[in-house]
Amino acid sequence: METIGKSIIRKEALDKVTGTAKYTSDHLSLPMLHAKMVISPYAHANITHIDLSEAWKIPGVRAILAGEKFPLTGEEIRDRPPIAYDKVRYCGEVVAVIVADSPAIAKRASSLIKVNYEPLPVVNSPNQAYENNAPVVHENIDSYERIKNVYPEVNTNIANRTKIRKGDMELGWQRTEIVVEADFSFSPSDHAAMETRCVIAEIREDETVVITSSSQSPFMIKKLLHVYFHIDIGKIVVNVPLVGGAYGGKASVQLELIAYLASKAVHGRKVKILNSREEDLITSPVHIGLDATIKLGCSRDGVLQAAEILYLFDGGAYSDKAVDISRAGAVDCTGPYRINNIQCDALCMYTNHPYAAPFRGFGHSEVMFVFERTMDMLAKKLKMDPIELRLINAIKPGDTTPTQLAVNKSNVGNVSECILKLKKIMNWDEGSIKQVSNTKVRSKGICCTWKNSTIDPDASSGVTLTFNPDGSINIISGVVEIGTGTKSVLAQMLAEKLKMDVRQIYVQMEVNTKSTPDHWKTVSSRGSFMAGRALLNAADDIIRQLKDLTACILRCSKVDLEVGLGKVYLKDTPDIFLNIKDICYGYMYPNGNAIGGQIIGRGTYIQRRVTYLDPETGAGNPGPEWTVAAQGIELEFDLLDYTYNVIRAATVVDVGKVLNEKTALGQIIGGMSMGISFAGRETFQFDQAGRILNPQLRTYRPLRYGEHPKYEVEFVETPVIDGPYGARSAGEHGLIGMPAALANSLSAAAEVDLNQLPLIPELIWKTKEGAVDDSL
Amino acid sequence: MIPFNFEYYKPSSIHEAVQLFQRLDTEEKQPIYYSGGTEIISLARINILYTKAIIDIKSIPECNVLHLEKDQLVLGACLPLTEIEESNFYPLLTKTIQEIADRTARNKITIGGNICGQIFYREAILPFLISNSQVVIAGIHGIKTMPIQQVFHQHLHLKKGEFLVQMITEKADLHLPFISIKKRQQWDTGYPLITVTAAKKPSSSFIENSSNQSLTNYERIQIAFSGLNPFPYRSEEIERDLNQQHLSLEQKVDLATSHLPEPILDDFEGSAQYRKFVMKNTLQHVLSTLEVQ
Amino acid sequence: MSLSEGMKHQFYLNVNQEERSVVISPSDILLSVLREQLGLTGSKPGCYNGDCGACTIDINGTPIKSCLMLAIEAIDKNITTIEGLKDTPIQKSFVEHFAFQCGYCTPGFIMNCNALIQKHPNASDEVIEEWLESNICRCTGYKEIEEAVKSVLHSNK
Ligand code: FES
Ligand code: FES
């Protein structure tokens, strides 16, 4: 292969190091108004009165949206008013929006809006939401419109329940000789992309709605604006320039709706709304939290026999994508193992927390933390090496998943090989724990992960290819460039396919829903898979057209032709050829006659044979393929004060095929960094009343330079047969196992089970001695 | 972005500054002195601070002095923290302020701004609290120089219209054996759970009380804290505990931790109980480190 | 100097070696003025609170968070933004080392790194760490940034 696998530099690299790369908020235009939100300081309260009089006195205020009943929104259950009406259900919820001539005026006016609240009892965790007498966050769940396959339970806080019923639990427990039970919990946290969300909306004279947004889901914005506000779908155009980090958080559609309403309130004038960091952290949707209870059993030989799991996802105040996240958690509710008897209930709970968006890993880092931590507890009880326990149970072709799908080599990859390679990288045979001084130990911990992509069964992608007169090609795809470099990887695939120089391939970075073919959403690491397949189809389309035309001109059969190196040539006599540049805009005979016309390539891809899950058993085909991995952490732990440093972090992941080595490494390492940060430090701190105490980056603290460990990454390449060049998705998989690996390593070092996040020294102190030690 | 406007003044002398303050105050402009301004900007943005006039004191020559004189170090209030770090005349101060915020921010944060800030950690004051230091304060009645102990109790007690001009530290105290530790909730980023600075000073009271101890091994530990309570402080009681010569290290620490002033901070950075635990460990570390120095 | 409230005043800022005229109020933040008046959108807002480093620019050779500075404080100073850097070794190195993904933190990182390289051409690991912990990158694991900076520093040696 010429291009595939190589570390080709991304197409927009120069723009990004010179400051010329444009993101949504970099679009400045003069006749533009600015919107500012007023957000709730309460987690749950009735809005008794809103006084706008002082705000209206500020010159330059053009509109105020408050106390108005707009259509309810939400991707699966329509439970969310875009601007709170009557009631607020989380701290940070939007209660009013001011539109004004400048950001400063909007801000000044926003601080003059007086809202009176009557606080209500707060649901402050999924466990609490699940209690019988818990306050109810939504009284009339059954009155909400909803899609098929979502099952809210009336008079409870349960937005949805996904059931996994596999095998025979009674039999499973009979065969069980060793059993562990444990509880887990962690609060919501955040994506904290460096670019805060930003939207510009306008409604033109002909009623065309034009949105520019820092979004992963331009086509979903278009669809939902149509569904919620009954705008003709053809009159909605969504532009997405470069996006400054997303990680799932920009897949939710929220700010776009507010910007649209704001523009409508000023007769369609252009309105820009840029989240402050505080709003971006708590008003916009967050990373889901989880409470879980698990019981896991095996026979004395270490073979897993039964798993009984309750996942209570903290969907927050509104269900939006949380239902789907909880469903994804059910699909891969265990680690990548053969377990014949599984009972799992994954519930999406309403609480008075900010609501959840997808987060890199889509429910998987969360459930893997629970399951893989439990695996270590089981290994300890069994007195078996945790790697050995995982090797014994690793899922293999012919085994079935929790949704009862029989797996094969192509769709599941090779877990065992990942484990064995990791074992080597971690020098596991030297022992997993070592005293390095009087007060310090070095400790290692590992875990396995897997993830399928449970996106909509009919999710699809399209690609258009056009030629430039010199034979170079433009790729037009609906994938958003959020940092993953996917579009540059598409260029590489095309270069490979057409045996071209990748510099001869241009990509359109921006997405415009009017001129760009639909790509479902740039989420779930599906970019290179789905758009890659669509691209290869489009390339085939070009090749076919080139051959048809050439066959006619060269008077030969098209099966005798080959395309490559900028030419269409006879396979057996390559010196008989036509240059692509001479035919891609039609071919002209010496006498002036022309045939052909410009060649436009068209390719699409739609997911194959994915099914909805059976509502009683969860049985079904949840998605195209799994990516499996084994991950490890080595750290140094201080036995006296319980502080620690992560020394190194390792990942072995079966990516099917490495398409661009450095890009792939960047994705995996970036994911690991984010996973360590989430596991080790990041969480929203809620007080008793559900208010968030740390809505700034000085108190909500992503990992910084110097806190990062040494990273080690290795790839396994078990091709997925229908993936482009055999590649699997890999964008999220660096992250998924980090919480479990860190917790396992720390639990071993501290000799105590650490089943909460984040893993700060105070948690270790509290678990070890805090509860009893009052003598200080 | 600051949601209100204000007037901006940049006086070039102390006299001009205090006059301005008085005038603006009578005009009810709620004037504030502005040095690095980082805290003013960030609190104004979220409507926690309001003013109609700021007086930028960065052009006042006295506020920019960085000078090691014959027997004292003079630091102007408007010196950015990194400039002080780079000159490194007072290593304990360097070590302590190096842990404040981050390096780029410290190019703008000034020593006076940190000491007079609303955000209560104010760690830059700690090294001055445990040395022979004076503060130079300007007001409408002129300039006064006072021992720090007289004017700093939890925060710097400035009267209306006064501002901090300089910090002066006795040269003899600049190079004492010291330790400065900042403990955070996790790793190397964020506000402190506690910050402890301590130095070992030859004791002057020693001669009178001596019996048969040798002069060299009797040194007094002076120690100050931030983060344990919502204010920085130095406590005589704790110092007395830690300097009890007849006690073991553990006993000293136990005694000292029984004398921590209440209320201990209990917030999302760490619970009060946990802070005490961290304090105890840190004190042990401080004592054992200073012992070998 | 004194400026009254509410009034806009015209000034010149020395940005990227050009005199640029701006009309500002005393409470205008430098970052906003650079972006909104001068169209220099390479400096990014990530927090407006001094916490993220995305807005880092160079003032007289020192990296400064432009969200923590009033525009009025920058008069008579030499301001360099990312747009003022052309073909510097650190920009090339960032490209070659894949030291960014979404690119949003990149201008701030590069401005900080560039100042570091000028001031400490032989910076130790500790110094590099002290300087670079001022910026957050959420995409990379900092490994590639570390490699990019070190390759420039080491080639200086
Ligand atoms: S915008 Fe975040 S530090 Fe300036
Ligand atoms: S490259 Fe995206 S934040 Fe650094």
Side-chain angles (χ1 to χ4, degrees):
Chain A
M1 292 202 187
E2 295 277 306
T3 318
I4 289 295
K6 285 202 183 133
S7 297
I8 306 271
I9 286 165
R10 61 171 67 227
K11 293 280 180 186
E12 78 288 12
L14 263 186
D15 288 342
K16 283 182 171 171
V17 296
T18 53
T20 48
K22 288 274 180 286
Y23 302 81
T24 299
S25 78
D26 297 338
H27 290 84
L28 312 162
S29 75
L30 257 190
M32 183 154 71
L33 300 176
H34 297 265
K36 172 79 193 159
M37 299 180 280
V38 176
I39 60 176
S40 168
Y42 290 96
H44 199 193
N46 288 322
I47 301 171
T48 54
H49 184 68
I50 305 183
D51 179 359
L52 307 176
S53 53
E54 290 301 310
W56 271 121
K57 287 182 190 157
I58 304 285
V61 171
R62 302 295 163 209
I64 304 180
L65 294 84
E68 208 175 321
K69 201 168 182 178
F70 295 112
L72 291 172
T73 64
E75 281 202 33
E76 300 208 356
I77 304 172
R78 289 181 56 183
D79 54 12
R80 186 180 88 246
I83 298 170
Y85 177 74
D86 278 356
K87 208 181 207 192
V88 290
R89 294 187 176 87
Y90 70 94
C91 169
E93 183 164 359
V94 185
V95 289
V97 177
I98 303 234
V99 187
D101 289 353
S102 77
I105 296 172
K107 195 168 174 198
R108 197 173 315 152
S110 75
S111 59
L112 296 174
I113 291 187
K114 290 188 208 74
V115 186
N116 294 345
Y117 298 94
E118 179 185 82
L120 296 167
V122 166
V123 180
N124 218 353
S125 73
N127 273 335
Q128 192 197 339
Y130 194 55
E131 284 166 12
N132 275 331
N133 50 358
V136 176
V137 179
H138 290 267
E139 288 101 354
N140 304 311
I141 314 186
D142 52 340
S143 72
Y144 295 140
E145 275 179 54
R146 58 177 195 260
I147 63 162
K148 269 201 327 214
N149 306 309
V150 53
Y151 313 101
E153 296 179 14
V154 178
N155 292 326
T156 73
N157 289 311
I158 301 169
N160 187 54
R161 182 191 297 263
T162 308
K163 292 188 221 167
I164 298 291
R165 301 288 182 270
K166 178 185 172 189
D168 177 346
M169 292 311 290
E170 212 169 306
L171 185 70
W173 292 126
Q174 267 170 25
R175 291 189 175 159
T176 292
E177 289 162 302
I178 312 283
V179 64
V180 289
E181 292 180 61
D183 297 321
F184 294 82
S185 74
F186 53 89
S187 294
S189 50
D190 202 62
H191 315 78
M194 284 300 98
E195 176 202 31
T196 60
R197 297 162 177 92
C198 181
V199 181
I200 301 166
E202 75 173 302
I203 307 166
R204 301 215 173 123
E205 282 305 318
D206 66 354
E207 293 176 350
T208 303
V209 177
V210 184
I211 306 275
T212 304
S213 176
S214 55
S215 170
Q216 294 172 264
S217 316
F219 298 94
M220 192 52 72
I221 295 172
K222 180 171 156 179
K223 182 175 150 195
L224 293 179
L225 277 174
H226 162 69
V227 171
Y228 299 153
F229 303 115
H230 308 296
I231 307 164
D232 290 344
I233 196 155
K235 287 201 163 155
I236 305 165
V237 182
V238 181
N239 296 298
V240 175
L242 294 173
V243 171
Y247 326 108
K250 290 173 180 166
S252 301
V253 179
Q254 178 203 32
L255 207 57
E256 294 83 2
L257 310 176
I258 295 171
Y260 162 73
L261 292 171
S263 173
K264 200 170 164 198
V266 290
H267 311 292
R269 289 176 66 185
K270 211 182 240 188
V271 176
K272 180 178 192 172
I273 180 163
L274 168 67
N275 267 358
S276 69
R277 175 53 67 187
E278 289 83 348
E279 290 157 351
D280 208 60
L281 284 169
I282 68 171
T283 300
S284 289
V286 303
H287 171 201
I288 207 160
L290 177 70
D291 288 340
T293 306
I294 180 170
K295 185 174 165 194
L296 180 65
C298 66
S299 40
R300 222 169 280 287
D301 54 5
V303 175
L304 294 173
Q305 299 293 349
E308 197 178 305
I309 312 169
L310 176 65
Y311 289 127
L312 301 178
F313 281 93
D314 191 344
Y318 301 104
S319 58
D320 208 48
K321 285 304 290 175
V323 170
D324 203 22
I325 300 168
S326 66
R327 203 178 280 130
V331 162
D332 293 326
C333 61
T334 67
Y337 308 113
R338 172 189 59 252
I339 308 174
N340 291 331
N341 310 296
I342 304 173
Q343 176 178 329
C344 169
D345 279 24
L347 277 61
C348 177
M349 302 303 298
Y350 283 120
T351 66
N352 291 118
H353 287 167
Y355 70 99
F359 176 79
R360 208 172 192 176
F362 206 66
H364 286 71
S365 66
E366 298 79 356
V367 308
M368 291 305 137
F369 168 62
V370 172
F371 197 87
E372 288 297 289
R373 185 78 267 288
T374 311
M375 284 292 279
D376 261 37
M377 293 168 72
L378 192 64
K380 194 171 163 202
K381 204 159 174 188
L382 257 175
K383 299 198 173 61
M384 185 183 269
D385 184 306
I387 283 201
E388 190 57 34
L389 178 65
R390 287 174 171 90
L391 276 174
I392 291 174
N393 292 289
I395 195 162
K396 294 189 176 62
D399 297 338
T400 59
T401 69
T403 67
Q404 304 179 38
L405 187 83
V407 297
N408 56 46
K409 196 174 161 199
S410 167
N411 71 6
V412 84
N414 196 336
V415 186
S416 306
E417 196 183 337
C418 291
I419 300 174
L420 289 171
K421 276 196 160 181
L422 181 77
K423 189 175 175 190
K424 213 161 162 194
I425 298 178
M426 299 292 292
N427 308 108
W428 195 260
D429 290 336
E430 289 173 9
S432 59
I433 196 147
K434 188 166 93 195
Q435 188 101 19
V436 289
S437 75
N438 277 344
T439 57
K440 295 225 158 121
V441 291
R442 279 246 185 165
S443 168
K444 300 170 194 170
I446 53 112
C447 73
C448 295
T449 71
W450 62 348
K451 179 183 184 291
N452 207 322
S453 290
T454 50
I455 61 175
D456 287 2
D458 64 345
S460 73
S461 184
V463 165
T464 316
L465 301 175
T466 61
F467 275 100
N468 300 306
D470 63 352
S472 63
I473 302 182
N474 307 306
I475 300 179
I476 304 156
S477 150
V479 171
V480 176
E481 183 43 72
I482 52 177
T484 52
T486 305
K487 282 191 157 161
S488 303
V489 169
L490 291 180
Q492 257 176 285
M493 288 184 195
L494 189 63
E496 180 77 27
K497 175 91 183 177
L498 296 178
K499 298 189 225 55
M500 280 173 78
D501 184 340
V502 71
R503 283 171 301 184
Q504 287 283 92
I505 295 169
Y506 301 93
V507 293
Q508 179 182 292
M509 281 298 160
E510 302 77 21
V511 171
N512 169 308
T513 57
K514 208 168 182 177
S515 56
T516 316
D518 194 320
H519 176 78
W520 186 69
K521 293 180 185 179
T522 307
V523 295
S524 202
S525 315
R526 300 315 293 160
S528 34
F529 192 105
M530 296 210 311
R533 283 290 303 268
L535 173 101
L536 294 178
N537 285 336
D540 282 333
D541 189 30
I542 279 187
I543 291 171
R544 188 185 46 73
Q545 295 176 55
L546 286 171
K547 284 184 180 171
D548 281 352
L549 186 58
T550 307
C552 166
I553 300 162
L554 293 184
R555 282 156 293 176
C556 63
S557 164
K558 49 192 178 191
V559 292
D560 295 338
L561 292 169
E562 185 74 48
V563 174
L565 309 166
K567 298 179 180 122
V568 187
Y569 54 90
L570 276 175
K571 276 182 205 166
D572 61 352
T573 333
D575 50 356
I576 299 179
F577 66 89
L578 289 175
N579 284 315
I580 290 176
K581 71 175 164 51
D582 298 328
I583 55 174
C584 62
Y585 273 74
Y587 177 76
M588 194 165 79
Y589 288 94
N591 71 352
N593 290 171
I595 56 166
Q598 63 175 299
I599 290 175
I600 298 172
R602 173 195 71 113
T604 64
Y605 177 76
I606 188 159
Q607 298 217 92
R608 169 169 58 83
R609 295 185 63 81
V610 174
T611 64
Y612 288 119
L613 306 179
D614 182 281
E616 293 311 317
T617 64
N621 179 10
E625 93 282 355
W626 280 268
T627 298
V628 295
Q631 301 188 278
I633 290 269
E634 182 169 356
L635 54 82
E636 195 164 286
F637 177 72
D638 188 313
L639 297 161
L640 290 183
D641 66 11
Y642 310 136
T643 58
Y644 66 94
N645 284 316
V646 181
I647 310 288
R648 62 186 184 125
T651 295
V652 181
V653 54
D654 188 344
V655 293
K657 171 79 197 164
V658 176
L659 296 173
N660 177 318
E661 194 187 359
K662 282 200 176 169
T663 299
L665 283 172
Q667 284 300 304
I668 299 295
I669 291 173
M672 290 162 79
S673 167
M674 195 172 234
I676 292 168
S677 192
F678 157 49
R681 184 156 69 199
E682 292 181 34
T683 183
F684 284 124
Q685 306 264 6
F686 294 92
D687 70 4
Q688 302 275 9
R691 287 176 303 219
I692 297 162
L693 304 172
N694 58 333
Q696 296 186 329
L697 292 176
R698 61 176 64 176
T699 42
Y700 183 98
R701 303 176 183 125
L703 205 72
R704 299 252 174 179
Y705 186 100
E707 293 175 326
H708 65 291
K710 186 162 173 261
Y711 301 99
E712 285 168 71
V713 178
E714 276 188 33
F715 296 113
V716 170
E717 295 188 311
T718 313
V720 53
I721 288 168
D722 56 350
Y725 299 101
R728 296 168 195 279
S729 58
E732 302 158 283
H733 302 78
L735 188 150
I736 295 173
M738 283 295 112
L742 183 61
N744 283 341
S745 172
L746 262 182
S747 297
E751 298 180 321
V752 66
D753 290 315
L754 298 167
N755 295 348
Q756 283 158 281
L757 299 175
L759 295 153
I760 54 172
E762 179 165 6
L763 173 75
I764 308 170
W765 167 79
K766 206 161 72 189
T767 315
K768 268 191 93 78
E769 58 182 279
V772 285
D773 188 358
D774 216 11
S775 62
L776 282 166
Chain B
M1 180 218 325
I2 299 176
F4 53 86
N5 283 326
F6 43 67
E7 295 169 13
Y8 175 87
Y9 299 89
K10 200 170 188 189
S12 47
S13 73
I14 291 177
H15 181 70
E16 197 188 330
V18 291
Q19 295 279 341
L20 256 172
F21 190 99
Q22 203 177 38
R23 194 194 90 210
L24 294 166
D25 187 47
T26 39
E27 292 170 10
E28 295 187 348
K29 300 243 165 91
Q30 296 156 262
I32 43 177
Y33 292 113
Y34 181 101
S35 176
T38 57
E39 190 180 295
I40 293 174
I41 289 173
S42 36
L43 295 183
R45 183 181 66 88
I46 51 175
N47 285 316
I48 290 182
L49 178 146
Y50 180 78
T51 176
K52 286 184 186 158
I54 63 173
I55 303 170
D56 186 343
I57 58 173
K58 283 197 292 291
S59 289
I60 299 173
E62 289 88 336
C63 295
N64 290 299
V65 171
L66 194 172
H67 194 186
L68 185 62
E69 290 167 8
K70 203 167 121 266
D71 43 27
Q72 59 187 25
L73 173 68
V74 185
L75 297 174
C78 292
L79 292 171
L81 295 180
T82 45
E83 213 173 310
I84 297 173
E85 292 164 36
E86 270 156 24
S87 69
N88 199 23
F89 288 125
Y90 186 6
L92 169 58
L93 180 62
T94 302
K95 182 81 195 359
T96 307
I97 60 183
Q98 253 174 353
E99 296 293 324
I100 294 172
D102 58 61
R103 170 134 192 143
T104 308
R106 291 201 306 278
N107 288 331
K108 190 90 187 345
I109 299 172
T110 61
I111 185 127
N114 183 272
I115 289 173
C116 300
Q118 278 189 39
I119 299 172
F120 57 68
Y121 300 106
R122 301 188 277 269
E123 291 151 283
I125 197 67
L126 299 177
F128 299 106
L129 287 179
I130 59 169
S131 56
N132 262 331
S133 291
Q134 318 245 31
V135 291
V136 180
I137 293 170
I140 197 74
H141 303 299
I143 294 171
K144 58 185 180 188
T145 303
M146 299 172 79
I148 185 136
Q149 279 76 10
Q150 277 183 31
V151 277
F152 194 95
H153 305 287
Q154 304 191 353
H155 60 93
L156 189 64
H157 287 254
L158 294 172
K159 299 206 187 70
K160 195 175 207 179
E162 289 184 338
F163 68 93
L164 176 65
V165 180
Q166 289 167 346
M167 306 295 300
I168 299 175
T169 304
E170 209 169 88
K171 195 170 174 185
D173 281 2
L174 297 180
H175 291 282
L176 299 173
F178 73 89
I179 179 164
S180 175
I181 303 180
K182 181 165 182 166
K183 293 277 186 187
R184 299 175 171 91
Q185 183 193 61
Q186 176 72 295
W187 301 322
D188 310 326
T189 314
Y191 289 124
L193 278 171
I194 51 171
T195 298
V196 179
T197 64
K200 213 163 51 167
K201 200 169 179 180
S203 172
S204 52
S205 60
F206 165 66
I207 308 294
E208 297 138 43
N209 304 343
S210 70
S211 49
N212 50 8
Q213 286 171 305
S214 76
L215 186 94
T216 47
N217 70 7
Y218 187 70
E219 288 169 310
R220 203 181 136 75
I221 287 174
Q222 317 210 123
I223 190 162
F225 312 94
S226 168
L228 190 64
N229 308 85
F231 45 81
Y233 67 95
R234 174 181 174 187
S235 147
E236 274 176 35
E237 197 172 21
I238 291 174
E239 278 183 14
R240 206 177 312 125
D241 297 337
L242 296 178
N243 285 300
Q244 298 266 8
Q245 298 305 304
H246 60 281
L247 297 181
S248 73
L249 193 150
E250 284 71 25
Q251 288 169 321
K252 289 180 200 172
V253 170
D254 281 346
L255 197 59
T257 37
S258 70
H259 287 143
L260 300 177
E262 297 291 334
I264 307 281
L265 267 178
D266 192 7
D267 61 13
F268 66 82
E269 300 285 357
S271 65
Q273 281 305 314
Y274 178 63
R275 274 192 159 90
K276 283 192 198 173
F277 168 78
V278 176
M279 182 67 173
K280 206 165 162 173
N281 285 322
T282 310
L283 283 179
Q284 266 168 11
H285 183 67
V286 165
L287 290 190
S288 53
T289 312
L290 283 180
E291 238 156 51
V292 296
Q293 274 186 3
Chain C
M1 177 206 301
S2 79
L3 277 187
S4 52
E5 184 205 349
M7 299 262 294
K8 298 258 179 195
H9 302 259
Q10 189 184 7
F11 285 104
Y12 288 93
L13 291 180
N14 191 329
V15 188
N16 301 330
Q17 304 188 337
E18 287 173 5
E19 289 251 299
R20 301 286 305 266
S21 129
V22 291
V23 178
I24 52 174
S25 307
S27 65
D28 286 344
I29 299 295
L30 180 58
L31 173 62
S32 309
V33 171
L34 290 173
R35 288 175 56 82
E36 287 151 30
Q37 285 202 37
L38 300 181
L40 297 169
T41 54
S43 309
K44 300 297 180 206
C47 67
Y48 275 107
N49 203 46
D51 302 333
C52 75
C55 66
T56 304
I57 58 168
D58 186 301
I59 303 241
N60 293 353
T62 303
I64 291 283
K65 292 176 174 176
S66 61
C67 70
L68 287 184
M69 187 164 199
L70 301 174
I72 205 167
E73 290 181 86
I75 294 168
D76 296 332
K77 305 233 153 75
N78 289 322
I79 306 168
T80 309
T81 68
I82 184 74
E83 289 89 347
L85 296 194
K86 291 273 177 294
D87 298 329
T88 59
I90 190 67
Q91 284 167 299
K92 283 199 201 106
S93 187
F94 260 61
V95 171
E96 280 159 16
H97 289 90
F98 285 60
F100 53 90
Q101 291 174 24
C102 80
Y104 200 82
C105 70
T106 312
F109 255 107
I110 289 183
M111 293 313 293
N112 194 11
C113 291
N114 193 55
L116 168 67
I117 292 160
Q118 308 296 318
K119 274 211 175 149
H120 299 280
N122 295 308
S124 64
D125 284 3
E126 291 71 44
V127 171
I128 297 173
E129 185 173 326
E130 194 197 335
W131 280 60
L132 296 198
E133 70 186 13
S134 305
N135 299 60
I136 301 175
C137 176
R138 193 63 163 160
C139 293
T140 74
Y142 298 109
K143 176 185 189 301
E144 299 91 340
I145 294 176
E146 179 174 357
E147 288 164 359
V149 176
K150 287 188 177 170
S151 91
V152 176
L153 287 169
H154 292 160
S155 71
N156 278 349
K157 277 183 186 165

